[in-house]
Amino acid sequence: MQETPFCLRVEHLLLYSMSGSNTTDFTNPSTFILLGVSGLEAAHVWISIPFCAMYAIAVLGNFTILFIVKTESSLHGPMYYFLFMLAITDLVISTTIMPKMLAIYWFNSREINFIVCLAQLYFLHCFSVMESGIFVAMAFDRYVAICHPLRHSAILTNSVVAKIGLAMMLRGGMLALPFPFLVRQWPYCKTNIIPQPYCAHMAVVNMACADTRASSYYGLFVVFCLIGLDVSFISLSYTQILRVIFSLPTKDDRLKTFETCISHLCAILVFYIPNLFFSLMYRFAQNVPLHFHVLIANVYLLMPPMLNPIIYGVRTKQIRDRLLQPCTH
């Protein structure tokens, strides 16, 4: 079977990256090469269409959430402030990866500066950790609103909400900080070609020719300990919430109270289930085709930013009413 021109280009890049002096180590390569969806290069333009549509929906939806929460005074409360933070986080996550991804799919612009790659890696993990923290804060808001309704406004004041948001930002920034520093210290003597359209922690670490267990263990720590703690706190909050809901006297009261939690529960499932699935698959499912890894990773990163504004727009009455307001006049 005749080798394709693209394969020849990849081979040349591999030879180039491994050539030089007597040693092939280049601890700080100047650039990495992003391959997009390896093996499906001929379909890159077609692959870009659904991802571009997902990104457009995410940008439009999250900016709409930001605009409505900012301009509608009735939405100036803890739940909607946390939703405002979630929309910002989703915009940053999707915008961190999509411009370069589309440049690869549309213009074959594969090179990425090493420092830019580290920055992309950092922001991706930083804001993913922040998003998990925001879901914890939202669960706490639902817990206080349902279990201690008379004290809700006294407990979650504007200053407390701001401090929670700052704490989530600092936590994300600090926990993601070791990722680029660990990646920067490894020697890269194998190749500088990343077989996906963005810089993720394990994708870069896998190219190193040193003992990278520190990076792998720290990544697992963030996934299992941090996400595990967050999920445990959310589960504890909802255990108390359900206990209160089931103690309500009528079915209508139970349903009405539970409906205030549905948007949050849907957003949690959209974020955590693909997160855990992708993290485990990337580390342990070695026999899964590479292009499947890449496509799943792209969907995993873009699905929450796209679906969160839809979930909250459809399920939250105040936001839905504000969206439909121009149509009712």
Side-chain angles (χ1 to χ4, degrees):
M1 185 174 180
Q2 190 175 6
E3 193 172 24
T4 64
F6 174 77
C7 292
L8 289 171
R9 290 200 301 272
V10 170
E11 182 181 355
H12 293 157
L13 288 168
L14 282 164
L15 292 171
Y16 175 78
S17 66
M18 297 179 68
S19 64
S21 60
N22 291 334
T23 177
T24 56
D25 289 1
F26 48 104
T27 306
N28 293 318
S30 60
T31 59
F32 283 138
I33 308 297
L34 300 171
L35 293 188
V37 184
S38 184
L40 298 177
E41 292 79 17
H44 268 179
V45 173
W46 295 106
I47 291 171
S48 72
I49 293 173
F51 290 126
C52 185
M54 291 173 73
Y55 181 56
I57 294 169
V59 170
L60 179 63
N62 284 291
F63 270 117
T64 301
I65 294 291
L66 292 176
F67 175 78
I68 291 175
V69 173
K70 182 177 174 58
T71 57
E72 191 68 31
S73 59
S74 64
L75 301 182
H76 291 176
M79 174 182 171
Y80 300 103
Y81 288 146
F82 291 133
L83 181 57
F84 192 91
M85 298 175 197
L86 182 66
I88 293 174
T89 304
D90 283 337
L91 283 170
V92 174
I93 290 174
S94 56
T95 303
T96 296
I97 63 167
M98 276 308 298
K100 183 60 182 177
M101 189 186 297
L102 293 178
I104 295 169
Y105 291 156
W106 292 346
F107 309 114
N108 204 33
S109 175
R110 302 176 186 274
E111 289 192 0
I112 185 169
N113 182 274
F114 181 59
I115 300 302
V116 175
C117 181
L118 293 182
Q120 187 184 61
L121 181 153
Y122 174 75
F123 280 108
L124 190 58
H125 291 285
C126 171
F127 280 87
S128 294
V129 173
M130 281 176 58
E131 183 151 349
S132 179
I134 292 168
F135 283 127
V136 173
M138 289 175 140
F140 179 65
D141 169 69
R142 290 298 84 208
Y143 163 75
V144 176
I146 292 172
C147 299
H148 305 283
L150 299 179
R151 300 175 57 200
H152 183 253
S153 58
I155 294 173
L156 285 172
T157 62
N158 288 345
S159 63
V160 170
V161 171
K163 288 174 184 176
I164 291 173
L166 180 61
M168 295 303 103
M169 184 184 301
L170 291 175
R171 188 187 75 150
M174 295 302 294
L175 282 170
L177 199 58
F179 286 127
F181 282 102
L182 287 169
V183 167
R184 190 182 177 90
Q185 75 173 355
W186 306 128
Y188 296 92
C189 58
K190 297 177 182 177
T191 178
N192 64 340
I193 297 176
I194 301 174
Q196 62 183 49
Y198 61 89
C199 294
H201 175 236
M202 288 308 298
V204 179
V205 167
N206 284 341
M207 299 188 302
C209 54
D211 185 354
T212 60
R213 282 180 292 182
S215 282
S216 184
Y217 290 158
Y218 185 72
L220 286 171
F221 164 76
V222 172
V223 170
F224 286 107
C225 293
L226 176 71
I227 304 302
L229 287 173
D230 287 356
V231 171
S232 297
F233 188 90
I234 292 170
S235 300
L236 180 62
S237 298
Y238 272 97
T239 300
Q240 298 300 314
I241 288 170
L242 290 174
R243 183 180 61 82
V244 171
I245 288 175
F246 287 126
S247 68
L248 294 174
T250 67
K251 182 179 179 180
D252 287 343
D253 288 339
R254 291 193 290 269
L255 287 174
K256 185 178 179 181
T257 305
F258 184 69
E259 280 181 358
T260 64
C261 302
I262 291 178
S263 297
H264 182 236
L265 286 170
C266 291
I268 287 172
L269 294 175
V270 166
F271 179 77
Y272 285 111
I273 290 178
N275 193 326
L276 181 61
F277 171 76
F278 174 65
S279 297
L280 293 174
M281 185 187 74
Y282 203 97
R283 286 171 172 82
F284 304 116
Q286 302 300 325
N287 295 326
V288 175
L290 179 60
H291 63 266
F292 183 78
H293 272 283
V294 175
L295 290 172
I296 289 295
N298 294 349
V299 171
Y300 147 67
L301 285 172
L302 287 172
M303 187 180 294
M306 179 189 72
L307 291 182
N308 284 340
I310 295 174
I311 290 169
Y312 280 96
V314 171
R315 293 295 317 173
T316 308
K317 183 179 184 301
Q318 293 89 331
I319 295 177
R320 187 171 65 247
D321 291 346
R322 181 64 176 82
L323 282 170
L324 298 176
Q325 199 175 64
C327 302
T328 58
H329 290 342

